[in-house]
């Protein structure tokens, strides 16, 4: 693991990537900025868990001859909707915020059908997300994704997001 990678010249804010070079051990690179400032500690933990997800889920497939993705890194040029990225993002939650510990902290998940789940960006959703981020020392983004995926919060539709960012009540957005 290379914790001092200079990723400043990359598009966007690349925080880390994993390489699977043929015939060599995988290499994980984590952005230097995540180690230079303690305010990035939760983001660093989340990024490390994401890259561990790549190692756990892709290490064996990359060893197979003829793998179409065996040419290099996983995270560098993948689309946002790439399955490998989704899986690695899921690993952040599974590794750092196990469901059993979430249930101990928050309680039983609300019934999905009852509609009692708060929107992820509502005041209640933000409070719950911040509580989980603090308790598990993860980024706000990682906590929000985990809470939506396991059913504590619900994701807003694109239309509702526009209204939420404009400061309009959710009921008005649904009318």
């Amino acid at each position: 693991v290379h914790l001092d990678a200079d990723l400043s010249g990359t598009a966007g804010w690349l925080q880390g990537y994993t390489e699977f070079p043929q015939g060599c051990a995988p290499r994980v690179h984590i952005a230097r900025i995540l180690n230079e400032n303690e305010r990035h500690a939760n983001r660093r933990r989340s990024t490390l868990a994401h890259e561990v997800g790549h190692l756990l889920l892709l290490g064996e497939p990359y060893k197979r001859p003829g793998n179409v993705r065996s040419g290099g890194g996983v995270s560098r040029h993948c689309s946002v909707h790439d399955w490998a990225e989704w899986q690695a993002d899921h690993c952040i939650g599974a590794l750092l915020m196990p469901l059993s510990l979430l249930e101990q902290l928050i309680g039983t998940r609300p019934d999905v059908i009852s509609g009692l789940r708060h929107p992820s960006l509502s005041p209640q959703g933000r409070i719950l997300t911040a509580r989980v981020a603090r308790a598990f020392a993860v980024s706000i983004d990682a906590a929000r994704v985990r809470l939506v995926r396991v059913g504590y919060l619900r994701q807003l539709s694109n239309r509702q997001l526009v209204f939420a960012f404009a400061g309009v009540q959710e009921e008005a957005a649904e009318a």
Side-chain angles (χ1 to χ4, degrees), residues 7-8 46 62 68 95-96 130 134 148 164:
L7 304 180
S8 60
S46 299
Y62 268 81
V68 297
L95 293 170
L96 300 180
R134 272 192 311 276
V148 167

Side-chain angles (χ1 to χ4, degrees), residues 13-26:
W13 191 44
L14 183 64
Q15 300 161 40
Y17 68 95
T18 300
E19 292 179 304
F20 293 90
Q22 295 263 324
C24 299

